[in-house]
Amino acid sequence: MLDYEGDTHIYLQIAAILRERVAGLPAGEPIPSEAEIQEEFGVARTTARRAVHVLREEGLIYTVQGEGAFVGPSTGAPRKQRKVPLYQQIAADLTEQIKAGKYQPRRPIPGETALVKQYGVARETVRRAMALLRERGWIYTVAQRGSYVSQKDSWPEI
């Protein structure tokens, strides 16, 4: 339990909790993402990031750009694959909704702000999901208007 009234910064309290958790994990095991830490402890992204930074500085964990943080030193440690990245999960969910007819061709899908709120993720995560949907042909974006579902003939082979 976090002590908001105490003399220890919240990020240091979270780092202490995470330190206990990673102590028994094998090298290469993924630790919770900043978004997961943020959600679990009800803190800002910056607070979660600072807690992870403390453990990284102590040499207990290492980070890999685009993959996350893992237990152990970074010196060639093996690492287990993290679950499917959040942006891919969001893209898959939106794809299923498009296929199910929730979003019709040539009609808008929710904007970035709505998706950030709906999925509880960072704006950049939503942007990556949208970019993936655009690459695959599920949506297209009109400047200053938003993103729309592509015509069915533009959809990838299912």
Side-chain angles (χ1 to χ4, degrees):
M1 193 71 183
L2 299 178
D3 179 10
Y4 291 94
E5 303 296 321
D7 62 350
T8 305
H9 292 287
I10 298 300
Y11 77 94
L12 292 174
Q13 293 178 48
I14 294 171
I17 292 167
L18 294 174
R19 189 178 299 112
E20 286 179 22
R21 289 183 188 173
V22 303
L25 296 175
E29 191 73 27
I31 68 161
S33 68
E34 289 174 2
E36 291 167 335
I37 293 168
Q38 181 182 3
E39 185 177 323
E40 178 182 348
F41 294 102
V43 295
R45 188 69 164 240
T46 305
T47 304
R49 185 171 290 137
R50 290 176 81 182
V52 170
H53 179 75
V54 168
L55 298 183
R56 191 172 49 246
E57 289 297 309
E58 292 173 359
L60 296 174
I61 65 169
Y62 64 98
T63 54
V64 178
Q65 181 69 33
E67 291 187 38
F70 302 88
V71 175
S74 63
T75 54
R79 62 181 181 269
K80 291 186 179 175
Q81 253 320 7
R82 188 176 276 284
K83 297 175 274 181
V84 175
L86 279 174
Y87 78 95
Q88 290 179 5
Q89 291 176 29
I90 293 168
D93 187 43
L94 289 171
T95 299
E96 289 305 314
Q97 292 178 46
I98 291 169
K99 289 193 287 190
K102 181 174 180 181
Y103 302 116
Q104 297 292 316
R106 299 189 65 208
R107 295 288 172 246
I109 63 170
E112 283 182 5
T113 303
L115 292 172
V116 163
K117 232 180 218 178
Q118 179 181 343
Y119 290 100
V121 296
R123 186 170 296 274
E124 184 58 30
T125 303
V126 168
R127 287 182 177 156
R128 289 180 74 183
M130 301 287 268
L132 186 58
L133 290 171
R134 266 192 303 278
E135 284 173 26
R136 293 182 175 167
W138 288 106
I139 65 171
Y140 62 95
T141 301
V142 178
Q144 307 298 320
R145 304 266 313 156
S147 294
Y148 296 81
V149 176
S150 299
Q151 296 281 28
K152 281 191 176 187
D153 59 357
S154 298
W155 294 2
E157 295 293 319
I158 297 174

